[in-house]
Amino acid sequence: MRKPTAIVLFAFLLGIAATCSAQSAEELKDSISAKESLHIDGVIENQKNLSLIQELEKCGNLNLKKENYENFLNSVKLLAPQTTLLILVDKTHSVGTNFDKIKYELYNGEPRLKMTPETLKAFKAMAAAARKDGIKIWPVSTHRTYTYQKGLFDRSVKRNGIEHANKYSAKPGHSQHHLGTAVDINSVENSFAYTKEAAWLAENAGKYGFSLSFPKGAEEITGYAYEAWHFRYIGTDAVEMQDKYFGGSQQKFLEFMHKCVFKK
């Protein structure tokens, strides 16, 4: 059982998330008053902040360097309101049919290619940057309904068996594509990993808030085979935190937010 002080500390964090959900990043930073300042001359000043950092560190099984304490806590506070954008969807966490009727926009007017407005804006900016580098990228699969995903999974089971399906396809309700923020880019073939487009994305996608969901060598962590084409929009601040504190692992980062910040 956690000590009462820990409960108070998490209440403090969630209170920030609730009151600042409509604020911009700059407004959120400004809302952290001077008395909550984390350090003076590199030394943590506020015991409440220090205790919160230690609680989060323990919860996420992290090993933070003390010089990173301030930036880490500021990142957590900044991302705490992003419960929908950073929702955990994987083999054990389902969104059911809750995202079947999300607010979306169409890519180039194509009814099959639906993304949330924020995702579409970021994708278009990324595609424009790629074109300047002589690279062409486009979406081939975006938002999927529960029913559509069920059809994909059932057909995969029928063709290749349940073990293969579980490795290469998500069960209905468990796909990131339900969110409208996941995009399969250019191809869904393994050969895509060896293209100049895949290399460009690996180098630049994070600058536009996109994160590779199923990296090579991370099968035991994600539960899925390597997919060089499957990116999820989580925002640039989230990508920065993912890369800095979680070794670039989207799965580990989202698990931390789910368990330690959103408390679900």
Side-chain angles (χ1 to χ4, degrees), residues 101-171:
K101 296 181 179 180
I102 63 168
K103 180 181 179 182
Y104 61 80
E105 293 181 2
L106 304 181
Y107 177 81
N108 290 346
E110 173 56 57
R112 296 184 304 105
L113 299 176
K114 305 172 183 178
M115 304 181 208
T116 66
E118 188 178 10
T119 305
L120 180 60
K121 181 180 179 180
F123 187 87
K124 285 184 174 181
M126 183 169 67
R131 283 195 297 272
K132 290 182 179 180
D133 291 339
I135 300 295
K136 185 177 181 180
I137 59 173
W138 65 92
V140 295
S141 182
T142 54
H143 174 258
R144 299 175 189 166
T145 65
Y146 184 96
T147 300
Y148 184 84
Q149 186 66 30
K150 184 178 186 304
L152 287 179
F153 186 81
D154 289 348
R155 285 193 293 274
S156 181
V157 172
K158 187 175 182 179
R159 287 195 305 266
N160 304 298
I162 187 64
E163 184 175 347
H164 182 277
N166 281 331
K167 185 177 181 180
Y168 292 94
S169 182
K171 293 181 179 178

Side-chain angles (χ1 to χ4, degrees), residues 63-220:
N63 185 22
L64 302 174
K65 296 181 180 180
K66 290 184 179 180
E67 58 265 31
N68 292 331
Y69 277 3
E70 177 185 11
N71 289 335
F72 176 76
L73 187 55
N74 283 341
S75 294
V76 171
K77 290 178 178 179
L78 182 65
L79 295 174
Q82 302 294 328
T83 54
T84 300
L85 187 62
L86 302 180
I87 190 171
L88 179 62
V89 187
D90 57 17
K91 285 185 176 295
T92 57
H93 298 88
S94 171
V95 294
T97 61
N98 294 335
F99 288 83
D100 272 6
K101 296 181 179 180
I102 63 168
K103 180 181 179 182
Y104 61 80
E105 293 181 2
L106 304 181
Y107 177 81
N108 290 346
E110 173 56 57
R112 296 184 304 105
L113 299 176
K114 305 172 183 178
M115 304 181 208
T116 66
E118 188 178 10
T119 305
L120 180 60
K121 181 180 179 180
F123 187 87
K124 285 184 174 181
M126 183 169 67
R131 283 195 297 272
K132 290 182 179 180
D133 291 339
I135 300 295
K136 185 177 181 180
I137 59 173
W138 65 92
V140 295
S141 182
T142 54
H143 174 258
R144 299 175 189 166
T145 65
Y146 184 96
T147 300
Y148 184 84
Q149 186 66 30
K150 184 178 186 304
L152 287 179
F153 186 81
D154 289 348
R155 285 193 293 274
S156 181
V157 172
K158 187 175 182 179
R159 287 195 305 266
N160 304 298
I162 187 64
E163 184 175 347
H164 182 277
N166 281 331
K167 185 177 181 180
Y168 292 94
S169 182
K171 293 181 179 178
H174 293 265
S175 173
Q176 290 186 348
H177 283 287
H178 294 316
L179 304 175
T181 56
V183 186
D184 289 342
I185 302 177
N186 287 32
S187 172
V188 291
E189 300 294 335
N190 290 334
S191 57
F192 178 69
Y194 306 101
T195 65
K196 61 182 180 180
E197 289 80 9
W200 189 93
L201 287 167
E203 180 70 24
N204 297 283
K207 300 174 185 177
Y208 302 91
F210 287 90
S211 167
L212 187 67
S213 297
F214 311 120
K216 188 175 183 179
E219 290 82 0
E220 290 188 7

